[in-house]
Amino acid sequence: MMPTNISPAPRASSNSKVMNRVLFWWVGCAIVGTLAGCAGRPAAYRAPVEPDRTAASAPGAGSQGAMPAGSAVGPAVAPAFAPGRSRWVPVAWESLPGWGGDSLFEAWNAWIKSCEKPQPPLAALCGEVRRLSIGSPQEQLEWMQSRLQPHRVESLQGEATGLLTSYYEPTLEASRNPAPGFGVPLYQLPAGMAARKPWFSRQEIDTLPEAQAALRGKALAYVADPVDALVLQIQGSGRLRITQPDGSQIRIRLAYAGTNEQPYRSVGRWLLDQGLIKDASWPGIKAWLAQNPQRQQELLWANPRVVFFKEEPLAELDAAFGPKGAQGVALTPGRSIAVDPSSIPYGAPVWLASSGGQTQLQKMVFAQDTGSAIVGAVRADYFAGWGPEAAELAGRMRQPLQMWVLWPRESLTR
């Protein structure tokens, strides 16, 4: 997930097993050269304004330790083919904007994360990827150019420019029990949801005794602001600093566990449709709320979907990475993206180029997540990390995007 551009988490993680089976089938089609005729793929999910995660690193170009540009383009490659919702067109390495200017240390760490749950044919590269984690930038660059073939990602209609948004992991103060200033509950999955689909809406949860009885005792923690709780649900996961009953503090992660299966409705879109705002980013939404506090409940109820969470410990090592995405591996700030898995398979290295008012990006990232608004060929959601800077970037980013999938050459010649 969670603005015009906040969105998934992990969220989307609940679909990872299904997506992995789809990806295995998808790659099988590619190997025998029949992807263009494969059909029946499930749609990814996510919403268009402040995208629902129920799916910040500076640009690499010119960064310290940048690699010298390489010139090898490798052997001849197969013609363009159409995996799912996208069309892949083989290109020379030199055509990638900024190629050779990215410092790959963080990217390599994200690649090793992907190798924890690799898919064929990417799995065959993982031994070399691990060995090259201590290689020089030049060795890494030359290896990539010899083993991978870049493909420009296009829509089936040939459009190569799409949309990049961003999401992040909110960090909130919380209380284990309701307390002065902490009265907004964040719930785990209630029992008996299977007996009622869809389950109670957000408004019904707030107003119906039957819904409140089903959630009694299911609160994991309480936060101060219902809008922050909504943002947390849209993003799909978050970090809490919890004050315990004895006054001590612990840090935990709330990970996506499921939803009430109500449709997701963007509160930014709700405001835009009524002509109430022109800026549907989270800063714009919060500015409107500051001027119209009496309409806060109305805005919250405009989105009937509620996300439920599960609690996870947040050890020091875990805190260095984001939540698990739909691939089933921890996300790396600035190096993980959410994609439409019917266009780009999980674990794929991707060269990303985007220029806009929020940031300039020319770097290698990895397709490790998805979300309900991430649909189509040239579409990605950039994991910014956590903290105020990540929140600001995710809350405002909405800019043009180009992508190139870096795919193993061997799989293209079989």
Side-chain angles (χ1 to χ4, degrees):
M1 82 245 134
M2 227 188 346
T4 302
N5 355 45
I6 295 185
S7 13
R11 35 195 186 314
S13 300
S14 63
N15 280 357
S16 61
K17 292 183 180 178
V18 174
M19 291 300 186
N20 285 343
R21 290 197 293 269
V22 172
L23 178 57
F24 182 83
W25 168 87
W26 183 96
V27 172
C29 291
I31 291 174
V32 299
T34 60
L35 263 178
C38 292
R41 304 165 186 83
Y45 60 97
R46 186 181 284 239
V49 179
E50 85 273 346
D52 178 25
R53 289 303 314 150
T54 58
S57 178
S63 58
Q64 186 175 3
M67 303 175 296
S71 59
V73 296
V77 298
F81 62 99
R85 294 184 180 183
S86 62
R87 181 171 179 264
W88 292 7
V89 181
V91 299
W93 286 100
E94 288 85 350
S95 68
L96 275 58
W99 175 249
D102 184 19
S103 179
L104 290 180
F105 176 75
E106 288 181 356
W108 225 262
N109 286 339
W111 203 337
I112 290 172
K113 282 290 180 184
S114 274
C115 282
E116 293 175 5
K117 292 194 174 181
Q119 302 293 331
L122 296 164
L125 301 176
C126 284
E128 296 171 72
V129 169
R130 292 187 180 99
R131 286 194 295 274
L132 279 165
S133 64
I134 58 173
S136 69
Q138 186 63 38
E139 288 171 333
Q140 292 172 339
L141 181 68
E142 291 175 354
W143 176 82
M144 290 177 63
Q145 293 180 156
S146 67
R147 296 301 305 275
L148 304 175
Q149 169 62 44
H151 292 78
R152 184 176 65 250
V153 181
E154 300 179 352
S155 71
L156 295 178
Q157 294 73 40
E159 177 56 57
T161 299
L163 174 65
L164 180 68
T165 54
S166 179
Y167 66 110
Y168 77 112
E169 190 176 24
T171 301
L172 300 176
E173 298 288 338
S175 172
R176 185 64 77 180
N177 298 312
F182 294 95
V184 182
L186 300 169
Y187 292 111
Q188 60 185 301
L189 276 170
M193 288 191 66
R196 180 189 174 107
K197 291 187 177 182
W199 209 64
F200 298 103
S201 68
R202 184 180 300 275
Q203 182 174 355
E204 290 170 336
I205 287 172
D206 288 343
T207 59
L208 293 183
E210 181 184 354
Q212 293 166 5
L215 289 168
R216 191 170 296 121
K218 295 296 184 180
L220 295 167
Y222 294 80
V223 296
D225 186 349
V227 177
D228 286 341
L230 176 66
V231 172
L232 181 66
Q233 291 182 25
I234 292 172
Q235 299 300 304
S237 74
R239 302 175 179 214
L240 300 184
R241 186 163 44 243
I242 291 184
T243 300
Q244 302 277 65
D246 63 1
S248 62
Q249 288 193 332
I250 61 169
R251 291 189 305 164
I252 67 168
R253 171 174 278 140
L254 291 189
Y256 174 92
T259 78
N260 59 351
E261 299 192 26
Q262 294 280 348
Y264 173 76
R265 304 290 186 225
S266 162
V267 296
R269 172 55 57 192
W270 180 78
L271 290 166
L272 287 170
D273 288 346
Q274 296 183 78
L276 298 174
I277 61 172
K278 294 182 179 179
D279 176 9
S281 69
W282 275 116
I285 293 170
K286 289 189 172 183
W288 180 85
L289 279 171
Q291 296 177 350
N292 300 274
Q294 75 282 1
R295 301 192 67 180
Q296 176 176 277
Q297 193 66 71
E298 184 184 1
L299 177 136
L300 295 171
W301 287 350
N303 176 22
R305 175 176 290 180
V306 172
V307 172
F308 301 108
F309 299 99
K310 56 186 176 182
E311 181 175 332
E312 296 179 350
L314 194 61
E316 185 174 351
L317 180 59
D318 296 326
F321 292 91
K324 288 184 179 180
Q327 187 190 353
V329 303
L331 304 178
T332 302
R335 296 293 176 171
S336 298
I337 58 172
V339 297
D340 182 341
S342 67
S343 296
I344 299 175
Y346 291 141
V350 175
W351 188 259
L352 179 151
S354 181
S355 179
Q358 294 306 306
T359 188
Q360 313 297 312
L361 298 173
Q362 293 178 343
K363 63 194 304 187
M364 188 166 74
V365 295
F366 290 84
Q368 296 174 330
D369 202 4
T370 192
S372 62
I374 308 307
V375 178
V378 193
R379 178 73 175 95
D381 213 19
Y382 179 82
F383 179 62
W386 48 90
E389 291 184 5
E392 178 67 18
L393 179 65
R396 295 189 179 278
M397 184 187 287
R398 189 177 183 87
Q399 55 193 53
L401 168 69
Q402 291 181 298
M403 294 192 292
W404 292 260
V405 172
L406 313 181
W407 202 244
R409 290 185 184 276
E410 279 190 18
S411 69
L412 299 169
T413 58
R414 290 176 183 174

